Amino acid sequence: MAIAITVGMTQPCRLNLHWKNNTKHKEREAKAMQMLQFQASLESNTKANRKTSPHLLRKLCKQGRLKEALHILREMEQPADHFTYTFLLQECIKKKAFSLGKLIHTHLNEIGFVPDTVLANTLLNMYAKCGRMLDARKMFDEMPERDECSWNVIIAAYSRHGFAEEALTLFHQMQQTDLQPNQFAYSSVLSACAKLAALEQGMEIHKQVISSGCATDVFLDCALIELYAKCGRVEKAHQLFEKMLQPNVVSGNIMIAAYGQNGRMEEAGKVFQDMPKRDVITWNAMITGFMQNGCVDEAQKLFRTIPKRNVVSWTAMIAGYAQNGRSEEALKSFLQMQRTGMKPDAQTFASALTACANMAALQHGMEIHDEIVKSGFQYDVFVNNALLDMYAKCGDIEKTHNLFDKMPKRNVVTWSTMIGGYAMHGLGMEAIKLFEEMQICGTKPNHVTLLCVLMACCHAGLVEKGLQYFHTMSECYDVKPAMEHYGCMVDLFGRAGHLNTARDFIYKMPIKPDATVWGSLLGACSVHKNVGLGKLAAERLLELEPDNATAYVVLSNIYAAAGMWEDHENTRRMITDEMDKKLPGHSWIEVNKQVHSFLADDS
DNA sequence: ATCTTGTTTC
């Protein structure tokens, strides 16, 4: 809103519009009075009493009238001082009025005002806080002089907004200057190391912290605990946690999350019990920990007892249900959440879509898609990736591709999902074309991308092409073949009927083949009716997983197909009651907008 | 000026 106020002209007709509505009328009247005073102060300001400008500006800021403050700035014949501009911008940051802050910056540029270091740092911080890292970087690069604060702000911002490598690079650059890192820079860069799981570098910096004699504070302590926790050194993290002089909620929360991520929920529970203060993050970390470790019931119990839920609590439940194969409950929670008046955010939508994808619930997925557009999250890359996957898993490859074309931003997951989608639908050549296009667009494939490419070759019967990618992946894409890639290659040979090649490939593997690799061979033997190899594959699989009922079933089917009824019966008898219970896999299908579950062999 | 919880491809 531009505040072009010509009091005499605009006010009366506006008031008349609301004449009948008494409250609105009063509001209007008050507003008009305010405007008149404002105008008066403006005039006195620009004419005689310029010295009151800073005072008036600060007063307006405190009343939250930032736009009016900007107007005064523009009207002033002389620029205000550095302190006033800094104060104004800090208010913008506090009130998250970033677009206004940007306008102030533009204004400063227009009048050719050269900021001092403190003001420049505040501008830098404004861009950093709202995640506009390109603007922040420009600000930083163009600063004629930088102090510790300038470095601290930019390092912290890079770390916070997911550019941990950049944070580390800048930290090293800072050390090339005459400036010494203090506890601010140290805690930010340690947090970046934690995010990268860069233990070596983190420990190196930890040593520096000690030798530099830098003042420690809770932030630094927390960053160190987080570093060791995220790098799997839970014991070390716990040691530091115990030694903390002023343990706080944050350090406790970090420990709970660390124990949860390492499958040690009992210890997480101990920390939770002993915490003198808990906040919603404490509860959410516990819930997430239980969900990550498959303890859905425990997570539910906590969710019921949590004193105050936020959007993260709900998302943790929805994502947790979906991750634990309970997608129906995930969708129910998603609906329940909205009934309580809680608004989903991008992450909630992404989790709900995962549940739809798991169940191939196209109608639900499309309804959520509508909601996403209505709530303005349709440009989020995570949301779009989840949508892409949902449409692909629901079998609508047309819609998947259309969405892919329209996406404003793509990352490696986007490309992998689309390639995987083509693979699922047997469109091998399309997948390969996209894989080549992805590289032209400058996105580096990861281990999942290569797995999707191999799967595409597998589903389309492109044996030679698959082999070629497999042999060059380490060298060309810097992705070392892992178990899942070997498993996929066995699948590729097996489906094509090259059973002996598949067997020899397994024998030549540099890592010990796991159950899924033998399972792939077993499956192929079933399709191509090879009793000898099938028996071998089943034996190896059962060595690794003695309770794998599916192995017995498939092997018995191989015997049956070969007419070997005695072996068939003997194999069947190996299946215990306990194994039998786990046998039939659940599948989901959507009929008339209702999600139904059915068992294998159901009609 | 700095910290912790939930999201996408296997």
Side-chain angles (χ1 to χ4, degrees), chain A residues 215-262:
Chain A
T216 68
D217 63 3
V218 267
F219 291 94
L220 191 48
D221 283 338
C222 285
L224 281 166
I225 293 170
E226 200 194 353
L227 168 76
Y228 290 105
K230 284 263 159 70
C231 296
R233 301 287 182 91
V234 203
E235 303 301 341
K236 175 84 183 168
H238 195 249
Q239 249 177 32
L240 290 174
F241 174 66
E242 296 274 277
K243 270 200 286 190
M244 251 179 105
L245 294 174
Q246 298 166 290
N248 63 357
V249 199
V250 177
S251 58
N253 293 347
I254 295 170
M255 279 320 300
I256 290 175
Y259 279 129
Q261 278 153 19
N262 288 279

Side-chain angles (χ1 to χ4, degrees), chain A residues 192-207:
Chain A
C193 290
K195 282 177 183 125
L196 294 169
L199 185 61
E200 301 264 315
Q201 289 205 65
M203 285 171 74
E204 196 54 46
I205 296 170
H206 187 180
K207 274 185 211 156

